Amino acid sequence: GAGVSQSPRYKVAKRGQDVALRCDPISGHVSLFWYQQALGQGPEFLTYFQNEAQLDKSGLPSDRFFAERPEGSVSTLKIQRTQQEDSAVYLCASSLGGRGLLYEQYFGPGTRLTVT
Amino acid sequence: AQSVAQPEDQVNVAEGNPLTVKCTYSVSGNPYLFWYVQYPNRGLQFLLKYITGDNLVKGSYGFEAEFNKSQTSFHLKKPSALVSDSALYFCAVRDEDRGSTLGRLYFGRGTQLTVWP
């Protein structure tokens, strides 16, 4: 069956450019998470949506990072004025249940962002 | 604060031998524990989870994990390793839902497992 998809798979941006990363979660999944994975590290939480509501954005590293999920399905992570330290793999995950429900998260293949 | 430690960056085993990938955790409430595997250029793939109940959890591809509350550990095991098991393995913990965490996973740094023929 269809899993979580992300696009683009690879993105090279010049420092200062804006980028937009897309996530298509598994159909019907209520929860959507964004994580950032730096080279040689485990994923680190960025933000969480339950349907269209962004319930937790405490992991976003700066106000240059913005995420939305306007219709409760597709989500976009936007990074403004990219910096070299933004280079990482950005992972999207979706989960069937909302808060309080202990379903596992299913991850997409990630978008590898390189800022030059 | 919630955290996960994977004390070994690399684990090397011969095919057919048992394997163990170690994980210890720290949470303020009841722990919910997960193992994921990552193949090159692919996302994380769910292996198994512990929520409550039996301390020995069985998952995909013959993997299992043992929850030990007193040692705050959740080691991943497999009785007989395959070359195809070679990958990067991540342990993750989720705390009880609170206003500030809401289901986020805290990951370890990962352990590279290599199984040689």
Side-chain angles (χ1 to χ4, degrees):
Chain A
V4 178
S5 61
Q6 293 185 246
S7 61
R9 291 292 313 275
Y10 304 91
K11 177 69 178 178
V12 178
K14 292 185 178 180
R15 191 175 63 175
Q17 281 185 330
D18 298 349
V19 299
L21 313 180
R22 177 188 169 104
C23 172
D24 283 82
I26 295 173
S27 178
H29 276 198
V30 169
S31 293
L32 187 146
F33 299 81
W34 283 98
Y35 292 86
Q36 181 190 58
Q37 186 176 17
L39 189 63
Q41 303 292 324
E44 292 197 359
F45 171 81
L46 293 176
T47 187
Y48 164 64
F49 290 86
Q50 181 173 290
N51 296 309
E52 69 280 1
Q54 189 176 20
L55 299 186
D56 185 355
K57 55 182 180 179
S58 62
L60 297 176
S62 77
D63 58 6
R64 296 185 296 104
F65 286 70
F66 172 77
E68 59 183 5
R69 194 187 185 198
E71 297 180 357
S73 56
V74 172
S75 177
T76 303
L77 176 67
K78 297 179 180 179
I79 308 173
Q80 298 177 325
R81 305 181 304 281
T82 52
Q83 304 294 317
Q84 282 194 317
E85 61 263 29
D86 300 334
S87 296
V89 175
Y90 290 86
L91 296 168
C92 175
S94 71
S95 177
L96 182 60
R99 59 182 299 177
L101 298 176
L102 298 170
Y103 294 98
E104 56 270 25
Q105 296 176 24
Y106 292 90
F107 284 79
T111 295
R112 182 179 297 277
L113 173 65
T114 303
V115 181
T116 61
Chain B
Q2 294 81 1
S3 66
V4 172
Q6 293 181 243
E8 301 156 318
D9 289 337
Q10 290 194 346
V11 171
N12 300 309
V13 299
E15 188 172 34
N17 282 1
L19 69 87
T20 299
V21 182
K22 296 179 180 178
C23 171
T24 59
Y25 66 89
S26 174
V27 294
S28 52
N30 288 321
Y32 305 123
L33 295 151
F34 302 80
W35 275 101
Y36 285 84
V37 59
Q38 187 173 38
Y39 296 98
N41 298 317
R42 297 178 66 177
L44 280 72
Q45 184 174 342
F46 171 76
L47 280 179
L48 50 80
K49 66 181 178 184
Y50 170 82
I51 303 300
T52 186
D54 193 349
N55 289 344
L56 185 63
V57 179
K58 294 188 182 298
S60 305
Y61 313 116
F63 283 93
E64 58 189 27
E66 186 169 11
F67 172 65
N68 187 317
K69 188 173 183 178
S70 64
Q71 297 185 0
T72 61
S73 68
F74 189 56
H75 301 331
L76 181 70
K77 300 181 179 182
K78 188 173 183 181
S80 179
L82 299 173
V83 173
S84 57
D85 293 330
S86 298
L88 187 57
Y89 290 80
F90 288 96
C91 180
V93 67
R94 170 181 165 172
D95 204 347
E96 292 176 308
D97 272 354
R98 304 167 187 273
S100 60
T101 61
L102 290 177
R104 71 168 74 174
L105 293 175
Y106 297 85
F107 286 87
R109 290 186 56 177
T111 298
Q112 180 66 48
L113 172 68
T114 301
V115 181
W116 71 82

